[in-house]
Amino acid sequence: MFSTLLQEGLDDGPDFLSEEDRGPRAVNVDLQTDATLQVDISDALSERDKVKFTVHTKSTLPNFKQNEFSVVRQHEEFIWLHDSFVENEDYAGYIIPPAPPRPDFDASREKLQKLGEGEGSMTKEEFTKMKQELEAEYLAIFKKTVAMHEVFLCRVAAHPVLKKDLNFHVFLEYNQDLSVRGKNKKEKLEDFFKNVVKSADGVLVAGVKDVDDFFEHEKTFLLEYHNRVKDASLKSDKMIRSHKNAADDINRISSSLYTLGTQDSTDVCKFFLKVSELLEKTRKIEARVAADEDLKLADLLKYYLRESQAAKDLLYRRGRALVDYENANKALDKARSKNKDVLQAETGQQLCCHKFEKISESAKQELVDFKTRRVAAFRKNLVELAELELKHAKGHLQLLQSCLGILKGDT
Amino acid sequence: MNPPPFPDTAEQEPVFSDMRDGDSDEGEDIFLGSSKTGAESPSVPQLNIKAETTDLFAEQASSTAPTVGLGTGGSSNGVQSDDDNDLFSDAHVELPTENASSSTPSGPRPAATFIPGTADMQTKSMEQLEEEEAKDTFDVDVAVTNPEKVGQFTPIHFSLHNVSHYQSSTIKFNLYLCFNNVLNNAIIPFHHYNWKLYLFLSAGDGMHAFMAYRVSTKSTLPVFRNKEFSVKRRFSDFLGLYEKLSIKQSLQGCIIPSPPEKSVVGMTKVKVGKDDSSSVEFVERRRAALERYLQRIVAHSVLLQDPDVREFLERDELPRAVNTQALSGAGFLKMINKASDAVNKMTIKMNESDTWFEDKFQEVENEEQQLRKLHIVVDSLVNHRKELCGNTAVFAKSMAMLGNSEDNTALSRALSQLAEVEDKMEQLHHDQAASDFFILAELLADYVRLLGTVRGCFGQRMRAWQRWQEAQSTLQRKREAEAKLLWANKPDKLQQAKEDITEWESRVTQYERDFDRISVTVRKEVLQFEKEKAKDFKFQIYKYLETMLQSQQRLIKFWEAFLPEAKAIA
């Protein structure tokens, strides 16, 4: 039901992402728009259980066949791209942009179902109102998921090394289905075990004290920061949910008052009708406030939760390389003392040394960039949050003042 | 003292003595004064009655504004003279037959009096009454404040120190005193001759403790002794007042505002000294409800004149009210429902020329339902806001922690500021939840209860109608019996039958009059109630909108202070 609704609204491509929402692209990241490669999601379609994104590229790079082209991609293909980065040894020294979360319309769908079941028990006005509200919610979730997928692509496109990745180019250009299937059960199980091993290893690696002060500091900082961002993200979600619930209640009060107001045409009833209208507008404002808080605050925190995890992963990989390097050193010494397989040990040690140094070098830069990005993103979002809160509060105040004026003037 | 002469009162007197038979209407009949005192039943020639009863049914009333059932309007504004007060208290009502000459028959037929026969008559008098009421402004302001916990029956130790050259000795006494001031371990010096007496008072918590409220009244009405005065009352006193008023007035069709309900849980927590926010809220809720209850009572013209009300407001010490169990919560509801069930169980449709009552009853029922629904939603809002308040507080702390671990100093400061803003938001949400509750939710709860009371009034009227109908059918039976006797020619029993008929005829008249009177009362009461309700709702909703306005103003201040901090991040 929603898909047809949204299709109508979405087929006109550029209008879909309204001016305000173009912002999300740069919401969580501070990116220099590079003329050589510009990526965005120009359109999106929501079908029964999947979302189809239209990825649009503009590039002056020679390796693309055209200067401007579009392909349709699904969420799984984004995940495939992300995983290919993670598994690529060459990128071990970079913070891999976190994968976008899966589009999740379950909550909305559930609510819609409940609404359908409860249709008999509420008045026609209430039903239409709640339906409209649900649709608005659905649309909001939809816009958010589009924004998050876009951010991922833009981060990749802005990264000096990742933007040259072949898989990325295929992703952007290949206009057939990439036939990336979701992981089957066996693969999912493998993944699960890999993660277990990784986290165990991570603990081990983290225990190794680093010679370099910078990295040691970063390790402790990131660990603490990550945990606190996680906590803040959870709490902000709860708070915003309560806010939405309160707004819903105001909606129901408005409907009730409307019913009361339509009983009669006395003075009081007219009064009720006016108050009902006022509350309806109030509710809209409160819902907007909650939505904006969600976008500017909750989403920001969620994004940096993922990014800080990616940064931690980088540190882990470096730590791993360090351990490997130290082990290789020990092996070399042992080989030299035993005077057996010295050459093998030497090459092994050299490889490890090279790998470790490469990672260290890029990691340092990545972490510095991460900090800069983070500060810029927080600044942007906090400023926008404050401005939006002010805008809504002033609007709300004006609404209340004018309404009170009218109501009192009538009596 | 003679009550002000009502036109044509005299002829109606005989029914007075019968009022007490088989009539649950033990309360004061406001026309005829108190039934408590054995009023003399004047001897009025029965002949008159007979003639009049037929007239009653046949004709239209054409008298002037019958001041039906209420001391206000028409001839007197009840509060002005003490004479009128006596009308309602235990004055003797003398119903002198000799007044018949002095009373001025205002209409062509003297019999037609209080009973407005047609709807037109009713509305005319209604309008007149309404106009008169608009002129009366009940200049009474009541406030309920200062809830204090009072320890009752607390042992007091006092020791006597003889400061003279006599050997000092300390004697401990245990005295049980009842007092109204909460003083923890106060020492009151008391001089008696050469003895110094120190009283150690300890106010107690515990199950004998109770909450005392200060009831302050400001009024320029001459009926009160002072212009401003206050007394201390406890919750059971309020319930006792309600009981007295209900017994007297509700049977006449008056709408008596109901007091807040008893709450064992809430009160127990307060008694045992729990000082948490829920007890504080409970006490505040009760205090506000008691205040509204009193304000509604004094806004009601009839009730204000009731001596019990004035006693409640003025008298320093009230006797403890007992039997308040029946008036709280479930008991009260049962009473109301019984009365309104009378309406629902009506198998015989009332033959009314005027569908006003039926329509109005339906309206009241509908409105009660609507308000109930609305109340549930407002309750939900209050809960969600409280939740929001809690979640905001938690989030603020989390933000503060995040700010601490952030190593960019400007960002760290901004995050801490954000945490502070969220803290202020928590306070804001808390205040808003309080207004949601105390202004909206309580308003709705009050009116759901009040509408129930209104339903009860309709029920009372129905019962009056039933009584009248039953009396009529009994009369019919008696007449048939008489006819039978005539035919069977039994003269000795005939006399009895004739007497029976006379009795029942007068009863029918009385009940019809009662019914009409209660109809007028109910109608007036309901109209008045609706006016008050409209005013109340408007006033409270304005108040609520104002709190919303203030919230937004505060919000603006918070975020305006934060914005430069956010912009300063580098």
Side-chain angles (χ1 to χ4, degrees), chain A residues 244-261:
Chain A
K244 287 199 180 131
N245 286 341
D248 280 342
D249 283 331
I250 296 181
N251 196 16
R252 292 198 292 164
I253 292 176
S254 165
S255 304
S256 266
L257 277 178
Y258 182 77
T259 319
L260 268 172

Side-chain angles (χ1 to χ4, degrees), chain B residues 476-495:
Chain B
Q476 187 62 28
R477 281 204 320 272
K478 296 285 182 195
R479 288 212 170 112
E480 284 169 5
E482 188 206 24
K484 271 207 210 121
L485 286 177
L486 271 172
W487 193 74
N489 205 7
K490 294 205 178 113
D492 46 337
K493 292 207 182 137
L494 206 61
Q495 182 57 23

Side-chain angles (χ1 to χ4, degrees), chain B residues 188 461 550 556:
Chain B
I188 300 177
R461 176 175 172 268
Q550 277 161 16
I556 291 177

Side-chain angles (χ1 to χ4, degrees), chain A residues 221 224 228 231-232 235-236 239 242 249 256 263 267-268 371 374-375 379 389 396 407-408 411, chain B residues 370 374 380-381 384 387-388 391 394-395 398 401 405-408 534 538 542 546 552 567 569:
Chain A
F221 165 74
E224 191 187 60
R228 290 195 178 167
D231 190 49
K235 308 271 163 71
S236 76
M239 179 179 80
S242 296
D249 283 331
S256 266
Q263 298 288 352
D267 214 17
V268 170
K371 210 176 290 278
R374 186 176 77 240
V375 172
R379 180 186 194 282
E389 291 267 3
H396 200 172
L407 285 175
K408 284 194 170 150
T411 51
Chain B
Q370 298 289 346
L374 187 56
S380 170
L381 175 65
H384 281 143
E387 223 178 71
L388 176 61
N391 287 343
V394 165
F395 175 67
S398 182
M401 296 278 282
S405 49
E406 173 61 62
D407 50 5
N408 177 305
K538 280 197 187 170
Y542 283 148
E546 298 268 349
Q552 295 305 315
K567 288 193 170 154
I569 301 173

